[in-house]
Amino acid sequence: MRKSQLILPLVLLILTLGLSACGARASADADISSIPEDNILRLGGQISAYNTLPEIFASADYVVVCEVTSRGDSYLIDGGELTTGMPHDEIMKELIDLRTPYEIKVLESFKGDLAPGDSFTVLGLNGVIDSYAVDTVFPDLEVGGVYLLPICVASEYEAYPYLQGAARLDGYDSAHAISDNGGAAVKTLMYDPPYQEISNVSELTDAVAGLSDN
């Protein structure tokens, strides 16, 4: 299914997608640095190379500029739970199904049916739950940050930020005003190639808007 083609290269190694149902939860403010090393599941994986904005745009279900307004409690999909007395290896297997929800507020929309002002939930694969944690190769979204964010929909219950194609827009101005220093900075989250010709937010939004017109 096309909607899952983008996230599957990102969802690491043996990670499988399932319907979202809240199981055990942990504080949204939990810090992985407080977790014993033996209780951290570190996932790495293969990432498909999307080296241009048109490639990223074509592969995503939504492309928006958004503000991350909150980070929710981590949970296990499909009603998974970590229970007292579970063997350690079983707990680590359960952690493959951990998700952390981020609420975003759409500021501009370039692809998909989200509109400015809409709230939407995307799921991260990092998180902390019951003194255990998942750590991945992907950066976290920061609450309060503004991002150009491609989003992949895996099912009606799960949507994931496509972090390889994301960029943080520090100093974002909805009018895209360009100041003497070149305007708001565009900071890539993972890879630079899609943004090599972009020097500020105005140029970025113009480039993405041009793709949405095609």
Side-chain angles (χ1 to χ4, degrees):
M1 183 171 83
R2 191 194 68 79
K3 287 188 175 183
S4 62
Q5 287 174 347
L6 178 59
I7 189 61
L8 289 178
L10 296 175
V11 180
L12 320 159
L13 295 178
I14 56 175
L15 184 61
T16 56
L17 299 175
L19 302 183
S20 176
C22 297
R25 291 185 172 271
S27 169
D29 298 324
D31 183 353
I32 194 171
S33 67
S34 66
I35 305 299
E37 179 62 31
D38 288 346
N39 288 0
I40 300 175
L41 178 65
R42 299 191 185 276
L43 295 176
Q46 196 69 27
I47 301 172
S48 294
Y50 292 92
N51 293 317
T52 67
L53 283 176
E55 287 177 328
I56 293 168
F57 190 90
S59 298
D61 293 293
Y62 299 104
V63 179
V64 299
V65 172
C66 62
E67 179 184 2
V68 179
T69 56
S70 66
R71 173 177 174 157
D73 293 338
S74 298
Y75 65 90
L76 299 174
I77 61 174
D78 285 336
E81 295 183 5
L82 304 184
T83 59
T84 302
M86 286 180 68
H88 188 266
D89 59 344
E90 291 186 16
I91 290 176
M92 302 311 278
K93 289 179 182 178
E94 288 287 338
L95 292 178
I96 292 171
D97 288 335
L98 184 139
R99 303 289 186 272
T100 299
Y102 295 84
E103 193 77 6
I104 64 172
K105 178 182 179 181
V106 177
L107 304 177
E108 298 184 66
S109 179
F110 300 98
K111 184 176 182 180
D113 58 4
L114 295 175
D118 285 351
S119 292
F120 191 73
T121 302
V122 295
L123 299 179
L125 303 175
N126 299 9
V128 175
I129 186 169
D130 292 353
S131 299
Y132 291 86
V134 175
D135 188 21
T136 75
V137 297
F138 306 119
D140 283 325
L141 296 173
E142 294 185 15
V143 175
V146 175
Y147 298 87
L148 174 75
L149 195 65
I151 297 169
C152 176
V153 176
S155 76
E156 66 177 304
Y157 300 99
E158 294 189 302
Y160 297 87
Y162 179 35
L163 296 176
Q164 181 186 350
R168 181 161 175 156
L169 310 183
D170 288 342
Y172 172 82
D173 180 338
S174 61
H176 306 148
I178 300 177
S179 63
D180 292 340
N181 64 5
V186 175
K187 297 182 179 180
T188 58
L189 292 197
M190 294 187 68
Y191 299 112
D192 293 333
Y195 300 94
Q196 286 180 341
E197 305 301 320
I198 302 295
S199 61
N200 55 54
V201 169
S202 181
E203 291 182 7
L204 178 58
T205 53
D206 284 350
V208 178
L211 294 172
S212 66
D213 292 336
N214 293 334

